[in-house]
Each structure stands twice: as structure tokens, then as C-alpha cells.
Amino acid sequence: MKKAIPVNTPLLSGNELKYLTECIETGWISSEGPFIRRFEEQFAAYTDREHGIAVSNGSAALDIAVKALGIGAGDEVIMPAFTIISPAQSVVTAGAKPVLVDCEADTWNMDVQQIEAKITGRTKAVLVVHIYGLPVDMDPVLELCRKYSLLLIEDAAEMHGQMYKGRKCGSFGDISIFSFYPNKLITTGEGGMIVCNDEQLAERCKKLRNLAFEPKGRRFVHEEIGWNYRMTNLQAAVGLAQLEKIDDHLQRKIEIGKRYRDLLQNLTGFQLPAAKTDFAENCYWVFALVAETEQLQEETVRKLTENQIGTRPFFWCMHEQPVFQKMGLFQGESYPNAEKIARNGFYLPSGLGLANEEIEYVAQILLEK
Ligand SMILES: *Cc1c(COP(=O)(O)O)cnc(C)c1O
């Protein structure tokens, strides 16, 4: 095989061009256009939520979620040590403190059994992040949030369409968020969505998305600071077309995951993603491997790269982020499972545009001694 295999190839095979053409022909290209409402309403419905608020990206959605819920100075938010930086960054920039828990060795999701010991009088919220294809075990989290009156933020950026015990991921948080980056299940190029059920909270999110313009007061007079985190009609047009295909996308992801699993079942030296847990089947947002040693991870990443196969390392732990250490956060803390997978993990090309022959080629390279 001569052609390079990118780590992600998006699939834009529906009404994207048609809807984009509509934007151009009508002149509706900003966040005022009609696709925004349609995308928000249909995405919220897909996630079993009352309200959807489209924003410029998933990280922006987290910034708004934290602020809209009134989390700020003096508050603690319990979250996983193993995650993308976005949720921790939102908590830190709001002036609150992330409090970390380790992940499970087999699912890579936060170990919810460790949450309760971290609750203090300052704990205001739990922030769960569903990782790579399996949902966090939500029932114990919901129970703790009830017991201690904690808010729940759900980062479902990787988990469109995934179910936990028959309930949609993204339907659990006081606020839940999604990303539509091109490697997510549906994409808008860049984009994100906040979903919730509370109308006042939804209005608050809309206000924060739009420079905190006062909905009733005089235009350009502001009582507080927000952001310009608006999504454009062009993005929403793509999003709506993608949403029409979301079930196909989800099925294809699962199929890609199962193909890799079958082809790699005899691969030694690596942990494959768990096919399922007691409460969910893996939807394989990405197909990820954890090498037994850091050296094997490095050698394998090199081998893939030499063969023009795209790969990415796992997230880097929050307590080992130089930026947070410089702020004096997480001093002397250790989360062994998270540290191990951060060093030894990587994922394979997993995009929706991936062909079956490409999956076979990637597996063949991995199986070569
Ligand atoms: C992708 C992702 C984000 C960030 O989304 P962007 O749209 O890239 O800002 C946040 N959380 C998780 C878990 C993600 O995978």
C-alpha cells in the first residue's frame, strides 16, 4: 500500500453541500441563520434533552457550562485525572479547583468508587468525561450527586449516540456537552453543543455564548462578561446534514472497532479496548491500544509512522500537565492507572472515512514482527 492513512478521515456524504449552498444563496452565513435553531432542536431531541445551545467548539461549551452553573472561586470540581485538558482548563479559568480521581485500568474511564473520598465542604460539582467509546458508570455518580447535592457536568464530546443502561449519554448532566470536531461522530468542522433540560439554565448559556448581551436591557450595555462562542449558520448546515446520518455513522464506528478487534485478537504485548462493560457496549469512538511498556508504545508508534499510518498518543494526565504544576496544582499527587495509560496508550486510524482494506493493512503492520 502506497497511500498514507490519516488518523482521521471525516465522512461528508449527505446533504452537507446542499445545505451549505442554501446558506450562500440566501446570504445567511452568521449565527443568525435558520439552520442554527434546526440543528439545536434536532440535536437536543436526539440526545433526549429539552434544550440545545450550539457553540463554536466543545471546549467553549465547557467554559459556558462551568460559568452558567455558578462554579467559581473557592469551589472544587471532582473530575478524572485522565482526560483532554478542556474540562480542567474550564474549571481552572473559572477560578475553581479541579480535584482528580484515577481511571480504571480496563475502561480508562474515571473510577467512580474513588469520588466519595474526595468530597469536601467545598465540592460543588462532579465532572464526568466519557473516554474513547465506553461510558462512565453513571448510577453511582448520580447517587453521590443526590446524596451530597452536587451539580453534574457531563462531557460527552466523544459519546454521541452511546447509551448507558438504555439512556443516552449526554442526558445525565445538569449540563452536558458535545464536540463536533472532525474526528467526532458528527462534525461541523469546529463546533460544539450544550444540552440541558432547565429553561433558565439554557437562557443563561445562550447569554454567555453571546458576549452576555442583556436579553432585555439596552443593547451594548453589559452587566457581566461572556464570550463570543457562537456557531455559524454554515457550521449548523453541515451539522444538520451530519445528524441525518448519525445512526449510520455510529454503526460504522462499531463495525470498524469490531474489525480491528477480530484482526488483532492474537496481538501480544497490547491491551485491546474492552468490548463491553456491565452497562454498555463499546462504540469505539477511536480504536485504542495500551502497550505493556512505554518502549513498546514508542516502537509501535514509530513503526506506524514509518508506514504512513496516522496515530495519536493518549491524553496526558492533568496532574502531570506543566501548566497546572506551574500554578501549584496537584503537587505530589499520583494516579497510577492514568499515568500508565497516558504513557503506553495510542490509537489507530478510526475515522468514518476509513476503508476496510485500510483497517486490514493497519492490522497487518501491527502483527508483523
Ligand atoms: C474533543 C473533546 C473536547 C473538546 O472539543 P473541541 O470541540 O475540540 O473543543 C472536550 N472533551 C473531550 C472528552 C473531547 O474528546
PDB file of all heavy atoms in Angstrom, residues 304-332:
ATOM      1  N   LEU A 304       4.300   2.530  12.890  1.00  0.00           N
ATOM      2  CA  LEU A 304       3.100   3.009  12.188  1.00  0.00           C
ATOM      3  C   LEU A 304       3.439   4.250  11.364  1.00  0.00           C
ATOM      4  O   LEU A 304       3.069   4.356  10.193  1.00  0.00           O
ATOM      5  CB  LEU A 304       1.987   3.320  13.193  1.00  0.00           C
ATOM      6  CG  LEU A 304       1.363   2.113  13.910  1.00  0.00           C
ATOM      7  CD1 LEU A 304       0.494   2.564  15.079  1.00  0.00           C
ATOM      8  CD2 LEU A 304       0.543   1.256  12.942  1.00  0.00           C
ATOM      9  N   THR A 305       4.172   5.166  11.979  1.00  0.00           N
ATOM     10  CA  THR A 305       4.511   6.416  11.302  1.00  0.00           C
ATOM     11  C   THR A 305       5.373   6.148  10.066  1.00  0.00           C
ATOM     12  O   THR A 305       5.146   6.736   9.003  1.00  0.00           O
ATOM     13  CB  THR A 305       5.237   7.362  12.285  1.00  0.00           C
ATOM     14  OG1 THR A 305       4.444   7.463  13.472  1.00  0.00           O
ATOM     15  CG2 THR A 305       5.419   8.755  11.691  1.00  0.00           C
ATOM     16  N   GLU A 306       6.331   5.233  10.201  1.00  0.00           N
ATOM     17  CA  GLU A 306       7.185   4.885   9.052  1.00  0.00           C
ATOM     18  C   GLU A 306       6.363   4.306   7.898  1.00  0.00           C
ATOM     19  O   GLU A 306       6.712   4.457   6.744  1.00  0.00           O
ATOM     20  CB  GLU A 306       8.252   3.854   9.466  1.00  0.00           C
ATOM     21  CG  GLU A 306       9.444   4.493  10.162  1.00  0.00           C
ATOM     22  CD  GLU A 306      10.302   3.473  10.909  1.00  0.00           C
ATOM     23  OE1 GLU A 306      10.021   2.250  10.821  1.00  0.00           O
ATOM     24  OE2 GLU A 306      11.241   3.924  11.602  1.00  0.00           O
ATOM     25  N   ASN A 307       5.272   3.668   8.249  1.00  0.00           N
ATOM     26  CA  ASN A 307       4.399   3.102   7.215  1.00  0.00           C
ATOM     27  C   ASN A 307       3.264   4.047   6.834  1.00  0.00           C
ATOM     28  O   ASN A 307       2.271   3.638   6.234  1.00  0.00           O
ATOM     29  CB  ASN A 307       3.845   1.757   7.687  1.00  0.00           C
ATOM     30  CG  ASN A 307       4.895   0.663   7.638  1.00  0.00           C
ATOM     31  OD1 ASN A 307       5.201   0.140   6.574  1.00  0.00           O
ATOM     32  ND2 ASN A 307       5.506   0.364   8.773  1.00  0.00           N
ATOM     33  N   GLN A 308       3.437   5.318   7.194  1.00  0.00           N
ATOM     34  CA  GLN A 308       2.466   6.369   6.841  1.00  0.00           C
ATOM     35  C   GLN A 308       1.067   6.110   7.394  1.00  0.00           C
ATOM     36  O   GLN A 308       0.059   6.406   6.772  1.00  0.00           O
ATOM     37  CB  GLN A 308       2.390   6.552   5.324  1.00  0.00           C
ATOM     38  CG  GLN A 308       3.677   7.126   4.744  1.00  0.00           C
ATOM     39  CD  GLN A 308       3.486   7.520   3.301  1.00  0.00           C
ATOM     40  OE1 GLN A 308       3.493   6.676   2.404  1.00  0.00           O
ATOM     41  NE2 GLN A 308       3.240   8.795   3.071  1.00  0.00           N
ATOM     42  N   ILE A 309       1.037   5.477   8.559  1.00  0.00           N
ATOM     43  CA  ILE A 309      -0.242   5.232   9.232  1.00  0.00           C
ATOM     44  C   ILE A 309      -0.360   6.230  10.379  1.00  0.00           C
ATOM     45  O   ILE A 309       0.496   6.283  11.253  1.00  0.00           O
ATOM     46  CB  ILE A 309      -0.312   3.782   9.767  1.00  0.00           C
ATOM     47  CG1 ILE A 309      -0.276   2.796   8.584  1.00  0.00           C
ATOM     48  CG2 ILE A 309      -1.569   3.578  10.610  1.00  0.00           C
ATOM     49  CD1 ILE A 309      -0.063   1.359   9.001  1.00  0.00           C
ATOM     50  N   GLY A 310      -1.435   7.024  10.335  1.00  0.00           N
ATOM     51  CA  GLY A 310      -1.627   8.061  11.352  1.00  0.00           C
ATOM     52  C   GLY A 310      -1.943   7.452  12.708  1.00  0.00           C
ATOM     53  O   GLY A 310      -2.663   6.452  12.808  1.00  0.00           O
ATOM     54  N   THR A 311      -1.385   8.009  13.759  1.00  0.00           N
ATOM     55  CA  THR A 311      -1.666   7.533  15.108  1.00  0.00           C
ATOM     56  C   THR A 311      -1.545   8.718  16.060  1.00  0.00           C
ATOM     57  O   THR A 311      -0.934   9.726  15.727  1.00  0.00           O
ATOM     58  CB  THR A 311      -0.695   6.394  15.510  1.00  0.00           C
ATOM     59  OG1 THR A 311      -0.955   6.002  16.848  1.00  0.00           O
ATOM     60  CG2 THR A 311       0.755   6.813  15.383  1.00  0.00           C
ATOM     61  N   ARG A 312      -2.167   8.597  17.226  1.00  0.00           N
ATOM     62  CA  ARG A 312      -2.052   9.643  18.255  1.00  0.00           C
ATOM     63  C   ARG A 312      -1.800   8.971  19.591  1.00  0.00           C
ATOM     64  O   ARG A 312      -2.359   7.903  19.859  1.00  0.00           O
ATOM     65  CB  ARG A 312      -3.375  10.414  18.390  1.00  0.00           C
ATOM     66  CG  ARG A 312      -3.719  11.326  17.244  1.00  0.00           C
ATOM     67  CD  ARG A 312      -2.951  12.640  17.287  1.00  0.00           C
ATOM     68  NE  ARG A 312      -3.333  13.497  16.181  1.00  0.00           N
ATOM     69  CZ  ARG A 312      -2.898  13.373  14.922  1.00  0.00           C
ATOM     70  NH1 ARG A 312      -2.041  12.414  14.609  1.00  0.00           N
ATOM     71  NH2 ARG A 312      -3.297  14.183  13.973  1.00  0.00           N
ATOM     72  N   PRO A 313      -0.966   9.615  20.425  1.00  0.00           N
ATOM     73  CA  PRO A 313      -0.833   9.088  21.784  1.00  0.00           C
ATOM     74  C   PRO A 313      -2.095   9.375  22.567  1.00  0.00           C
ATOM     75  O   PRO A 313      -2.946  10.159  22.139  1.00  0.00           O
ATOM     76  CB  PRO A 313       0.338   9.886  22.343  1.00  0.00           C
ATOM     77  CG  PRO A 313       0.309  11.186  21.603  1.00  0.00           C
ATOM     78  CD  PRO A 313      -0.223  10.862  20.224  1.00  0.00           C
ATOM     79  N   PHE A 314      -2.228   8.743  23.730  1.00  0.00           N
ATOM     80  CA  PHE A 314      -3.360   9.027  24.635  1.00  0.00           C
ATOM     81  C   PHE A 314      -3.240  10.439  25.210  1.00  0.00           C
ATOM     82  O   PHE A 314      -2.207  11.084  25.107  1.00  0.00           O
ATOM     83  CB  PHE A 314      -3.351   8.012  25.793  1.00  0.00           C
ATOM     84  CG  PHE A 314      -4.146   6.751  25.500  1.00  0.00           C
ATOM     85  CD1 PHE A 314      -4.378   6.336  24.211  1.00  0.00           C
ATOM     86  CD2 PHE A 314      -4.656   5.984  26.539  1.00  0.00           C
ATOM     87  CE1 PHE A 314      -5.111   5.175  23.943  1.00  0.00           C
ATOM     88  CE2 PHE A 314      -5.385   4.825  26.292  1.00  0.00           C
ATOM     89  CZ  PHE A 314      -5.612   4.416  24.992  1.00  0.00           C
ATOM     90  N   PHE A 315      -4.333  10.891  25.855  1.00  0.00           N
ATOM     91  CA  PHE A 315      -4.283  12.152  26.596  1.00  0.00           C
ATOM     92  C   PHE A 315      -3.154  12.089  27.625  1.00  0.00           C
ATOM     93  O   PHE A 315      -2.756  10.998  28.061  1.00  0.00           O
ATOM     94  CB  PHE A 315      -5.600  12.388  27.353  1.00  0.00           C
ATOM     95  CG  PHE A 315      -6.801  12.517  26.460  1.00  0.00           C
ATOM     96  CD1 PHE A 315      -7.993  11.863  26.792  1.00  0.00           C
ATOM     97  CD2 PHE A 315      -6.785  13.300  25.309  1.00  0.00           C
ATOM     98  CE1 PHE A 315      -9.116  11.981  25.985  1.00  0.00           C
ATOM     99  CE2 PHE A 315      -7.904  13.427  24.501  1.00  0.00           C
ATOM    100  CZ  PHE A 315      -9.069  12.758  24.839  1.00  0.00           C
ATOM    101  N   TRP A 316      -2.686  13.244  28.051  1.00  0.00           N
ATOM    102  CA  TRP A 316      -1.681  13.327  29.113  1.00  0.00           C
ATOM    103  C   TRP A 316      -2.391  13.716  30.414  1.00  0.00           C
ATOM    104  O   TRP A 316      -3.310  14.538  30.389  1.00  0.00           O
ATOM    105  CB  TRP A 316      -0.611  14.365  28.736  1.00  0.00           C
ATOM    106  CG  TRP A 316       0.623  14.283  29.583  1.00  0.00           C
ATOM    107  CD1 TRP A 316       1.080  15.228  30.449  1.00  0.00           C
ATOM    108  CD2 TRP A 316       1.570  13.208  29.631  1.00  0.00           C
ATOM    109  NE1 TRP A 316       2.247  14.808  31.048  1.00  0.00           N
ATOM    110  CE2 TRP A 316       2.575  13.563  30.560  1.00  0.00           C
ATOM    111  CE3 TRP A 316       1.676  11.962  28.986  1.00  0.00           C
ATOM    112  CZ2 TRP A 316       3.659  12.724  30.868  1.00  0.00           C
ATOM    113  CZ3 TRP A 316       2.749  11.138  29.295  1.00  0.00           C
ATOM    114  CH2 TRP A 316       3.720  11.520  30.223  1.00  0.00           C
ATOM    115  N   CYS A 317      -1.992  13.094  31.531  1.00  0.00           N
ATOM    116  CA  CYS A 317      -2.730  13.299  32.789  1.00  0.00           C
ATOM    117  C   CYS A 317      -2.743  14.763  33.240  1.00  0.00           C
ATOM    118  O   CYS A 317      -1.758  15.477  33.062  1.00  0.00           O
ATOM    119  CB  CYS A 317      -2.085  12.490  33.909  1.00  0.00           C
ATOM    120  SG  CYS A 317      -2.050  10.741  33.579  1.00  0.00           S
ATOM    121  N   MET A 318      -3.829  15.139  33.882  1.00  0.00           N
ATOM    122  CA  MET A 318      -3.959  16.514  34.351  1.00  0.00           C
ATOM    123  C   MET A 318      -2.917  16.875  35.404  1.00  0.00           C
ATOM    124  O   MET A 318      -2.370  17.977  35.386  1.00  0.00           O
ATOM    125  CB  MET A 318      -5.366  16.767  34.914  1.00  0.00           C
ATOM    126  CG  MET A 318      -6.467  16.745  33.869  1.00  0.00           C
ATOM    127  SD  MET A 318      -6.144  17.820  32.456  1.00  0.00           S
ATOM    128  CE  MET A 318      -5.608  16.630  31.230  1.00  0.00           C
ATOM    129  N   HIS A 319      -2.621  15.929  36.333  1.00  0.00           N
ATOM    130  CA  HIS A 319      -1.676  16.264  37.402  1.00  0.00           C
ATOM    131  C   HIS A 319      -0.241  16.327  36.901  1.00  0.00           C
ATOM    132  O   HIS A 319       0.639  16.772  37.619  1.00  0.00           O
ATOM    133  CB  HIS A 319      -1.795  15.262  38.565  1.00  0.00           C
ATOM    134  CG  HIS A 319      -1.456  13.853  38.195  1.00  0.00           C
ATOM    135  ND1 HIS A 319      -2.234  13.098  37.334  1.00  0.00           N
ATOM    136  CD2 HIS A 319      -0.425  13.051  38.543  1.00  0.00           C
ATOM    137  CE1 HIS A 319      -1.681  11.906  37.190  1.00  0.00           C
ATOM    138  NE2 HIS A 319      -0.588  11.853  37.913  1.00  0.00           N
ATOM    139  N   GLU A 320      -0.002  15.889  35.667  1.00  0.00           N
ATOM    140  CA  GLU A 320       1.351  15.964  35.103  1.00  0.00           C
ATOM    141  C   GLU A 320       1.460  17.068  34.048  1.00  0.00           C
ATOM    142  O   GLU A 320       2.462  17.135  33.333  1.00  0.00           O
ATOM    143  CB  GLU A 320       1.739  14.607  34.512  1.00  0.00           C
ATOM    144  CG  GLU A 320       1.792  13.503  35.562  1.00  0.00           C
ATOM    145  CD  GLU A 320       2.496  12.255  35.078  1.00  0.00           C
ATOM    146  OE1 GLU A 320       1.985  11.613  34.144  1.00  0.00           O
ATOM    147  OE2 GLU A 320       3.562  11.931  35.637  1.00  0.00           O
ATOM    148  N   GLN A 321       0.445  17.896  33.925  1.00  0.00           N
ATOM    149  CA  GLN A 321       0.497  18.995  32.958  1.00  0.00           C
ATOM    150  C   GLN A 321       1.389  20.102  33.509  1.00  0.00           C
ATOM    151  O   GLN A 321       1.102  20.651  34.573  1.00  0.00           O
ATOM    152  CB  GLN A 321      -0.906  19.571  32.707  1.00  0.00           C
ATOM    153  CG  GLN A 321      -1.870  18.630  32.027  1.00  0.00           C
ATOM    154  CD  GLN A 321      -1.521  18.376  30.564  1.00  0.00           C
ATOM    155  OE1 GLN A 321      -0.672  19.060  29.983  1.00  0.00           O
ATOM    156  NE2 GLN A 321      -2.178  17.394  29.967  1.00  0.00           N
ATOM    157  N   PRO A 322       2.435  20.460  32.761  1.00  0.00           N
ATOM    158  CA  PRO A 322       3.325  21.530  33.236  1.00  0.00           C
ATOM    159  C   PRO A 322       2.556  22.810  33.589  1.00  0.00           C
ATOM    160  O   PRO A 322       2.860  23.466  34.583  1.00  0.00           O
ATOM    161  CB  PRO A 322       4.256  21.765  32.043  1.00  0.00           C
ATOM    162  CG  PRO A 322       4.242  20.474  31.290  1.00  0.00           C
ATOM    163  CD  PRO A 322       2.886  19.870  31.499  1.00  0.00           C
ATOM    164  N   VAL A 323       1.558  23.134  32.781  1.00  0.00           N
ATOM    165  CA  VAL A 323       0.834  24.388  33.023  1.00  0.00           C
ATOM    166  C   VAL A 323       0.148  24.378  34.395  1.00  0.00           C
ATOM    167  O   VAL A 323       0.137  25.391  35.098  1.00  0.00           O
ATOM    168  CB  VAL A 323      -0.174  24.686  31.885  1.00  0.00           C
ATOM    169  CG1 VAL A 323      -1.237  23.613  31.770  1.00  0.00           C
ATOM    170  CG2 VAL A 323      -0.834  26.049  32.082  1.00  0.00           C
ATOM    171  N   PHE A 324      -0.398  23.253  34.792  1.00  0.00           N
ATOM    172  CA  PHE A 324      -1.073  23.183  36.098  1.00  0.00           C
ATOM    173  C   PHE A 324      -0.051  23.092  37.239  1.00  0.00           C
ATOM    174  O   PHE A 324      -0.262  23.653  38.311  1.00  0.00           O
ATOM    175  CB  PHE A 324      -2.050  22.003  36.141  1.00  0.00           C
ATOM    176  CG  PHE A 324      -3.232  22.181  35.227  1.00  0.00           C
ATOM    177  CD1 PHE A 324      -3.797  21.091  34.571  1.00  0.00           C
ATOM    178  CD2 PHE A 324      -3.796  23.438  35.015  1.00  0.00           C
ATOM    179  CE1 PHE A 324      -4.892  21.249  33.713  1.00  0.00           C
ATOM    180  CE2 PHE A 324      -4.884  23.610  34.157  1.00  0.00           C
ATOM    181  CZ  PHE A 324      -5.426  22.506  33.515  1.00  0.00           C
ATOM    182  N   GLN A 325       1.047  22.379  36.972  1.00  0.00           N
ATOM    183  CA  GLN A 325       2.092  22.292  38.001  1.00  0.00           C
ATOM    184  C   GLN A 325       2.666  23.675  38.303  1.00  0.00           C
ATOM    185  O   GLN A 325       2.906  24.024  39.456  1.00  0.00           O
ATOM    186  CB  GLN A 325       3.198  21.325  37.551  1.00  0.00           C
ATOM    187  CG  GLN A 325       2.728  19.876  37.579  1.00  0.00           C
ATOM    188  CD  GLN A 325       3.771  18.895  37.060  1.00  0.00           C
ATOM    189  OE1 GLN A 325       4.747  19.291  36.416  1.00  0.00           O
ATOM    190  NE2 GLN A 325       3.556  17.616  37.314  1.00  0.00           N
ATOM    191  N   LYS A 326       2.841  24.473  37.243  1.00  0.00           N
ATOM    192  CA  LYS A 326       3.358  25.838  37.429  1.00  0.00           C
ATOM    193  C   LYS A 326       2.403  26.684  38.265  1.00  0.00           C
ATOM    194  O   LYS A 326       2.804  27.641  38.897  1.00  0.00           O
ATOM    195  CB  LYS A 326       3.609  26.513  36.070  1.00  0.00           C
ATOM    196  CG  LYS A 326       4.940  26.131  35.446  1.00  0.00           C
ATOM    197  CD  LYS A 326       5.188  26.874  34.143  1.00  0.00           C
ATOM    198  CE  LYS A 326       4.908  25.970  32.960  1.00  0.00           C
ATOM    199  NZ  LYS A 326       4.990  26.637  31.654  1.00  0.00           N
ATOM    200  N   MET A 327       1.126  26.331  38.234  1.00  0.00           N
ATOM    201  CA  MET A 327       0.138  27.048  39.052  1.00  0.00           C
ATOM    202  C   MET A 327       0.093  26.506  40.485  1.00  0.00           C
ATOM    203  O   MET A 327      -0.704  26.967  41.287  1.00  0.00           O
ATOM    204  CB  MET A 327      -1.262  26.880  38.447  1.00  0.00           C
ATOM    205  CG  MET A 327      -1.430  27.533  37.106  1.00  0.00           C
ATOM    206  SD  MET A 327      -3.045  27.047  36.414  1.00  0.00           S
ATOM    207  CE  MET A 327      -3.202  28.296  35.142  1.00  0.00           C
ATOM    208  N   GLY A 328       0.927  25.484  40.736  1.00  0.00           N
ATOM    209  CA  GLY A 328       0.959  24.910  42.082  1.00  0.00           C
ATOM    210  C   GLY A 328      -0.118  23.857  42.326  1.00  0.00           C
ATOM    211  O   GLY A 328      -0.339  23.427  43.452  1.00  0.00           O
ATOM    212  N   LEU A 329      -0.782  23.431  41.262  1.00  0.00           N
ATOM    213  CA  LEU A 329      -1.844  22.433  41.412  1.00  0.00           C
ATOM    214  C   LEU A 329      -1.280  21.007  41.458  1.00  0.00           C
ATOM    215  O   LEU A 329      -0.253  20.725  40.843  1.00  0.00           O
ATOM    216  CB  LEU A 329      -2.829  22.533  40.239  1.00  0.00           C
ATOM    217  CG  LEU A 329      -3.757  23.749  40.221  1.00  0.00           C
ATOM    218  CD1 LEU A 329      -4.398  23.907  38.845  1.00  0.00           C
ATOM    219  CD2 LEU A 329      -4.844  23.610  41.294  1.00  0.00           C
ATOM    220  N   PHE A 330      -1.978  20.133  42.154  1.00  0.00           N
ATOM    221  CA  PHE A 330      -1.747  18.669  42.138  1.00  0.00           C
ATOM    222  C   PHE A 330      -0.355  18.271  42.636  1.00  0.00           C
ATOM    223  O   PHE A 330       0.189  17.256  42.191  1.00  0.00           O
ATOM    224  CB  PHE A 330      -1.955  18.108  40.721  1.00  0.00           C
ATOM    225  CG  PHE A 330      -3.181  18.605  40.021  1.00  0.00           C
ATOM    226  CD1 PHE A 330      -3.101  19.133  38.734  1.00  0.00           C
ATOM    227  CD2 PHE A 330      -4.424  18.571  40.637  1.00  0.00           C
ATOM    228  CE1 PHE A 330      -4.226  19.593  38.068  1.00  0.00           C
ATOM    229  CE2 PHE A 330      -5.568  19.022  39.975  1.00  0.00           C
ATOM    230  CZ  PHE A 330      -5.452  19.540  38.693  1.00  0.00           C
ATOM    231  N   GLN A 331       0.233  19.056  43.532  1.00  0.00           N
ATOM    232  CA  GLN A 331       1.605  18.759  43.961  1.00  0.00           C
ATOM    233  C   GLN A 331       1.689  17.440  44.721  1.00  0.00           C
ATOM    234  O   GLN A 331       0.939  17.222  45.658  1.00  0.00           O
ATOM    235  CB  GLN A 331       2.155  19.906  44.789  1.00  0.00           C
ATOM    236  CG  GLN A 331       2.669  21.019  43.899  1.00  0.00           C
ATOM    237  CD  GLN A 331       3.149  22.231  44.667  1.00  0.00           C
ATOM    238  OE1 GLN A 331       3.470  22.136  45.847  1.00  0.00           O
ATOM    239  NE2 GLN A 331       3.168  23.365  43.988  1.00  0.00           N
ATOM    240  N   GLY A 332       2.606  16.578  44.279  1.00  0.00           N
ATOM    241  CA  GLY A 332       2.836  15.294  44.930  1.00  0.00           C
ATOM    242  C   GLY A 332       1.726  14.279  44.689  1.00  0.00           C
ATOM    243  O   GLY A 332       1.729  13.208  45.283  1.00  0.00           O
TER     244      GLY A 332
END
